[in-house]
């Protein structure tokens, strides 16, 4: 299934994309696509529905982040060997783990804010993993059983805040709108091999990133298992699994986003996103 959330920010409602590509509303079936509706029993219930009996959703209506009530956004850095090379960094021996503040989460087509004074705003197309069942000390061979599904993510990053200031990467990763998710939450049964997902990203129509998850250093099962050794992953947690080469920081010379730029990204199985870069509103 391809599931989504639609409506105004903070008031999104659940939906389902039918086989003909028609958006259907699930509000009469579940309250939201959130931790309590991501498990196998809830998914089985949705799979038994006749989509033709569900109300249609106006295709012009805003799409929100495809998961609500997210508890944690955990990310893996330098997880593609060629991306590590373009960053001039050694291949990690263990996953590099950091986090993004959940307030960074936004819809797949929402504007992305350029922070005041920011001059190194960068893009990163990624496969995101959504946890559906608690995972605690799970072996790699059982890890994918804890995954509800997958979605597209843009790990927007302000590199000066991330790298040039003391402290953790989270400072350069957590500005509002800097974690677009969606458009669809693609249930795990539709992606039996998460290491065979094509990813792409363009800026102003210029191809910047082209990659496939098969070149990850640490695969999805390894990542879920590894994280579960240090934290109890919970339904609704989102894991960003790293980005292929082609980020702005890796261009020669580096290229960063400016107000007015348009970023498009996608995957044949995960759908597409489009964001316009705008100056962030500053509180009076």
């Amino acid at each position: 299934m391809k599931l989504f959330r639609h409506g105004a920010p903070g008031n999104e409602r659940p939906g389902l994309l039918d086989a003909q590509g028609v958006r259907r509303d699930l509000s009469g079936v579940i309250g939201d696509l959130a931790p309590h509706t991501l498990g196998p029993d809830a998914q089985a219930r949705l799979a038994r529905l006749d989509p033709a009996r569900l109300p249609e959703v106006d295709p012009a209506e805003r799409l929100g982040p495809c998961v609500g009530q997210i508890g944690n956004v955990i990310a893996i850095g330098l997880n593609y060997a060629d991306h590590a090379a373009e960053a001039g960094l050694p291949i990690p021996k263990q996953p590099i783990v950091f986090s993004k503040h959940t307030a960074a989460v936004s819809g797949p087509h929402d504007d992305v804010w350029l922070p005041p004074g920011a001059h190194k705003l960068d893009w990163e197309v990624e496969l995101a993993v959504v946890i559906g069942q608690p995972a605690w000390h799970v072996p790699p061979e059982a890890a994918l059983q804890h995954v509800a599904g997958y979605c597209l993510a843009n790990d927007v990053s302000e590199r000066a805040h991330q790298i040039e200031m003391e402290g953790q990467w989270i400072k350069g990763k957590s500005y509002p709108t800097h974690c677009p998710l969606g458009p669809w939450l693609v249930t795990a049964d539709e992606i039996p091999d998460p290491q065979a997902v094509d990813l792409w990203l363009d800026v102003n129509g210029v191809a910047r990133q082209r990659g496939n998850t098969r070149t990850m250093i640490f695969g999805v099962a390894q990542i879920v298992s590894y994280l579960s050794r240090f934290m109890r992953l919970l339904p609704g947690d989102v894991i960003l699994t790293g980005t292929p080469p082609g980020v702005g920081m890796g261009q020669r010379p580096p290229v960063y986003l400016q107000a007015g730029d348009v970023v498009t990204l996608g995957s044949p199985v995960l759908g597409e996103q489009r964001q316009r870069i705008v100056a962030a509103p500053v509180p009076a």
Side-chain angles (χ1 to χ4, degrees), residues 27 32-34 38 48 58 63 89 171 173 181 228 231 259:
S27 298
D32 198 359
L33 290 173
L38 293 173
R48 290 193 296 266
D58 184 347
L63 290 175
L89 296 169
K171 291 189 294 186
K173 299 282 190 171
L181 296 177
S228 79
M231 61 193 78

Side-chain angles (χ1 to χ4, degrees), residues 91 140 225:
I91 293 176
S225 176

Side-chain angles (χ1 to χ4, degrees), residues 69-155:
Q69 302 175 40
I70 295 170
N72 295 282
V73 179
I74 306 157
I76 307 299
L78 300 175
N79 196 29
Y80 289 71
D82 34 12
H83 174 49
E86 74 176 353
L89 296 169
I91 293 176
K93 295 180 181 179
Q94 296 187 53
I96 295 175
V97 181
F98 63 95
S99 63
K100 293 174 78 84
H101 196 289
T102 54
V105 173
S106 59
H109 309 308
D110 292 345
D111 290 343
V112 165
W113 293 357
L114 182 69
H119 60 283
K120 292 186 177 180
L121 192 67
D122 208 345
W123 57 82
E124 294 189 19
V125 60
E126 307 204 8
L127 170 73
V129 179
V130 179
I131 297 298
Q133 297 189 84
W136 173 238
H137 284 267
V138 298
E141 60 269 20
L144 297 185
Q145 299 172 20
H146 298 261
V147 174
Y150 305 90
C151 65
L152 190 69
N154 187 356
D155 179 16

